[in-house]
Amino acid sequence: MSGFVFNEKPIQIERGDGAYVYDDSGTEYLDMGASYACVPLGHKHPAVHSAVSEQLEKITYVQASYPNAERTALYDLLAKTAPDPIDKTWLCNSGTEANEAALKFARSATGNSKIVATMQGFHGRTMGALATTWKNKYKKPYEPLIGDVEFVPYDDSEALEEAVDEDTAAFIVEPVQGEGGINPTSDGYLEDAREITEDAGAALIFDEVQTGMGRTGALWNSQRAAVAPDMITAAKGLGNGLPIGATLCRDWIAEDYGSHASTFSGGPVISAAAGATVSTIIEDSVPGNAAVIGDYLLTELEAAIGDDVRDIRGEGLMIGVEVGRGANAALKKLALNHQVLALPAGRTVIRLLPPLTIDKDHADAVVDAMAEVVE
Ligand SMILES: *Cc1c(COP(=O)(O)O)cnc(C)c1O
């Protein structure tokens, strides 16, 4: 094996269609992980495919300093859909880059350096974003990372108020923690975060790399909480499987962002893919489906296995089942015995991040499989 291999699975995936993927012998699997939430519209979605193939016929890439219709349309679409007054977009290639940019922009626009982040939080693996990520396992081999990062307990307004001061550039937070175990916030926490950062003159960054694109029942979780941060970062599902990241900003950030750029910022093919993904999510009311099927799945899981597991929690189609140390064994059984692919979140939680287009039959199939696996 000549490539870097991460935790390789004994299933070779060769094809996808809607909520299903197929291995090299044709076996069908229900894809309840969507490869880390990267395919919100399901595999091989026709709108995304035709947008990409039409663009490939015109031009594959042109640098961001030449205006291009696909890129401009994506800027406009993201500005239109982001909570007001967020209306500027920086495009890149991944979640960590989107957060890296957000941290740089916050330092430039505020003139401060201190970053406040949350325990159990995950923001990516480049040096800056990694410094705001909680787990030591990810950080230790690469230290020293950027300094001046303070961690506070998640979902704790008092601790946040103590940490954020006039030297703070930004508070970065996931509205629902993903990698950290699917941890939603209590009512009022995100509103408190807004007030605390505003009072201190610090930027509020919502890392919506996982919660965005309709996953929690609104296009942005920020809309569900009715809080407009200073920046929203997005990636994962934004290109329905093709790599793209975005940092959405308010004017005061965009006006003083410093000097940041990336060679592949907003190429026409990826812009076409993301434009088709976001438009389809809106036109097909995909976030509404995520809310309805998410609630249904959560309720059915609770009824079927609520007594057998430690906890079931989530928002929309971002659901965590805390099973304890057996999570990895359970995931393996789900895949090999029940042809259901799911994800871990830490060592104790089974994480479900399916395509947002799944229906009740898919949800029932998952509940049946989970019931047999956790028994
Ligand atoms: C996955 C993830 C990232 C990192 O995204 P990459 O594209 O892997 O760099 C950042 N923040 C959150 C919340 C994520 O879930």
Side-chain angles (χ1 to χ4, degrees):
M1 177 62 77
S2 50
F4 263 46
V5 178
F6 330 80
N7 189 17
E8 199 173 56
K9 313 277 183 288
I11 300 169
Q12 178 158 327
I13 305 294
E14 299 290 359
R15 218 161 53 72
D17 194 355
Y20 296 95
V21 293
Y22 300 84
D23 71 11
D24 49 352
S25 65
T27 302
E28 181 179 90
Y29 298 83
L30 179 56
D31 191 3
M32 291 299 291
S35 285
Y36 294 98
C38 286
V39 225
L41 294 174
H43 296 277
K44 215 166 80 176
H45 193 281
V48 180
H49 273 228
S50 52
V52 168
S53 19
E54 280 165 30
Q55 182 53 45
L56 279 170
E57 293 300 320
K58 297 181 202 158
I59 187 168
T60 306
Y61 189 68
V62 58
Q63 71 193 67
S65 48
Y66 293 103
N68 169 272
E70 295 299 333
R71 186 188 314 111
T72 305
L74 180 60
Y75 286 149
D76 292 346
L77 183 60
L78 288 172
K80 206 175 78 192
T81 61
D84 285 335
I86 292 175
D87 66 356
K88 296 282 187 305
T89 298
W90 154 253
L91 294 173
C92 55
N93 311 287
S94 66
T96 197
E97 281 174 82
N99 287 328
E100 201 75 28
L103 298 172
K104 286 175 74 176
F105 295 174
R107 280 189 165 180
S108 173
T110 62
N112 291 330
S113 72
K114 178 174 157 183
I115 311 285
V116 178
T118 64
M119 296 176 183
Q120 279 79 48
F122 183 87
H123 302 293
R125 297 174 189 258
T126 50
M127 291 292 195
L130 183 60
T132 65
T133 287
W134 172 247
K135 257 195 201 165
N136 259 330
K137 181 176 104 172
Y138 299 153
K139 294 191 285 193
K140 266 276 169 275
Y142 311 111
E143 289 177 341
L145 305 171
I146 65 161
D148 225 356
V149 178
E150 180 176 339
F151 288 93
V152 292
Y154 187 65
D155 199 27
D156 181 338
S157 301
E158 250 172 62
L160 184 62
E161 182 139 36
E162 261 175 49
V164 173
D165 55 27
E166 73 249 22
D167 299 324
T168 303
F171 172 48
I172 183 166
V173 64
E174 297 154 88
V176 178
Q177 284 185 334
E179 160 85 22
I182 308 291
N183 307 315
T185 55
S186 316
D187 287 346
Y189 176 66
L190 299 174
E191 288 81 352
D192 289 348
R194 177 65 286 178
E195 209 177 299
I196 291 165
T197 46
E198 197 161 313
D199 288 351
L204 177 61
I205 304 167
F206 281 176
D207 178 347
E208 296 228 37
V209 168
Q210 200 163 141
T211 54
M213 295 304 108
R215 175 132 318 261
T216 65
L219 185 67
W220 306 107
N221 186 281
S222 321
Q223 294 164 308
R224 238 165 119 76
V227 174
D230 298 293
M231 287 182 260
I232 291 176
T233 56
K236 286 199 163 82
L238 181 53
N240 205 49
L242 291 171
I244 181 168
T247 308
L248 282 52
C249 321
R250 293 194 190 213
D251 280 341
W252 73 274
I253 301 281
E255 277 159 13
D256 192 12
Y257 74 94
S259 165
H260 187 67
S262 166
T263 301
F264 277 124
S265 176
V269 172
I270 190 60
S271 294
T277 302
V278 177
S279 316
T280 306
I281 286 176
I282 294 166
E283 281 158 22
D284 293 357
S285 302
V286 168
N289 189 65
V292 171
I293 303 299
D295 285 350
Y296 175 78
L297 180 53
L298 199 71
T299 310
E300 294 295 306
L301 282 171
E302 194 61 62
I305 58 169
D307 292 339
D308 307 315
V309 298
R310 291 188 195 166
D311 193 24
I312 305 174
R313 54 184 180 257
E315 266 183 53
L317 282 170
M318 182 168 178
I319 294 177
V321 180
E322 188 163 352
V323 295
R325 283 291 155 122
N328 271 321
L331 283 165
K332 204 167 168 186
K333 276 192 211 155
L334 275 175
L336 298 180
N337 302 350
H338 301 277
Q339 288 72 52
V340 172
L341 305 185
L343 300 162
R347 270 183 293 188
T348 60
V349 176
I350 294 178
R351 172 166 47 158
L352 305 175
L353 304 170
L356 307 179
T357 48
I358 62 164
D359 58 26
K360 286 189 174 176
D361 291 340
H362 297 120
D364 289 339
V366 176
V367 174
D368 291 346
M370 288 285 282
E372 290 195 36
V373 162
V374 302
E375 209 164 52

